[in-house]
Amino acid sequence: MGSIVGCALLAGCASTSPHVISHSIEVSPGINVVRTAQGNVVDSITMRRDATRVNDLALRDCLLSNVVPANREPATDIVQPEASVWQRPGEVDVNGQTVHYRLSLQRLKDQNYYLFDQLGQPHRDAQGQEMWTPVPAWDHQQPKALHSALVEKTNAIQSCLVNAEQQQRSATSGRDARMRSS
């Protein structure tokens, strides 16, 4: 009996070690973990959705309306490092804590690929410099909550893109019908 209790205690200790990855992360698709000096941390989270065909203005509007910029700085804008990739920094509330991220949305032929990286919680050091604390991969609550929050964010952006695509199709169909009748 004593050895069972000892094993249970050791198992409990091991699950909070910074070098053990939480089971909830291992079973969540798209969570990428890296080993750092602080232990295993969440490096990025990826998701895939069906491709949408919208113009650049509609895509920009969907990102602007759904990705809250870090620190809510109006100067923070969308960048396009490559023709099919759009990036915007943002932040999301996870269990009362702010987690910053960079979203890269890549539009591929058959899917939209969402990459959330540069994940971290901001804080200031003794000199007032902004520092980042990575999201630990050994704590099963915070990474799972972060994943859920980013799934919601992805779904909101995707829904906006789908709606914009439908509106663009309607506008094109109406214009085509008017041209045929004239």
Side-chain angles (χ1 to χ4, degrees), residues 36-158:
T36 67
Q38 294 90 8
N40 289 316
V41 298
V42 178
D43 181 56
S44 64
I45 296 176
T46 60
M47 294 171 220
R48 297 173 190 273
R49 299 292 185 269
D50 291 338
T52 52
R53 303 290 174 240
V54 296
N55 63 36
D56 289 350
L57 181 60
L59 188 139
R60 185 179 192 81
D61 287 346
C62 286
L63 289 177
L64 285 171
S65 64
N66 287 287
V67 179
V68 177
N71 301 322
R72 293 173 174 73
E73 297 171 7
T76 304
D77 204 358
I78 297 169
V79 296
Q80 193 175 8
E82 298 174 30
S84 65
V85 178
W86 296 74
Q87 293 180 337
R88 181 161 169 87
E91 63 184 23
V92 65
D93 181 69
V94 178
N95 297 333
Q97 297 181 337
T98 300
V99 176
H100 288 221
Y101 61 84
R102 177 182 65 182
L103 167 63
S104 296
L105 171 57
Q106 185 174 15
R107 298 185 325 170
L108 303 170
K109 182 179 178 180
D110 60 344
Q111 64 186 332
N112 291 343
Y113 180 76
Y114 294 83
L115 167 68
F116 295 89
D117 66 354
Q118 297 182 2
L119 302 166
Q121 297 172 306
H123 66 276
R124 300 217 177 262
D125 67 7
Q127 290 78 32
Q129 298 291 325
E130 187 168 69
M131 305 283 292
W132 295 88
T133 302
V135 178
W138 61 89
D139 172 6
H140 73 282
Q141 291 298 324
Q142 187 179 19
K144 188 68 174 166
L146 174 60
H147 182 263
S148 295
L150 294 179
V151 165
E152 287 181 31
K153 182 68 59 189
T154 299
N155 290 343
I157 296 166
Q158 185 71 13

Side-chain angles (χ1 to χ4, degrees), residues 9-21:
L9 289 174
L10 287 175
C13 293
S15 68
T16 59
S17 167
H19 302 291
V20 175
I21 299 172

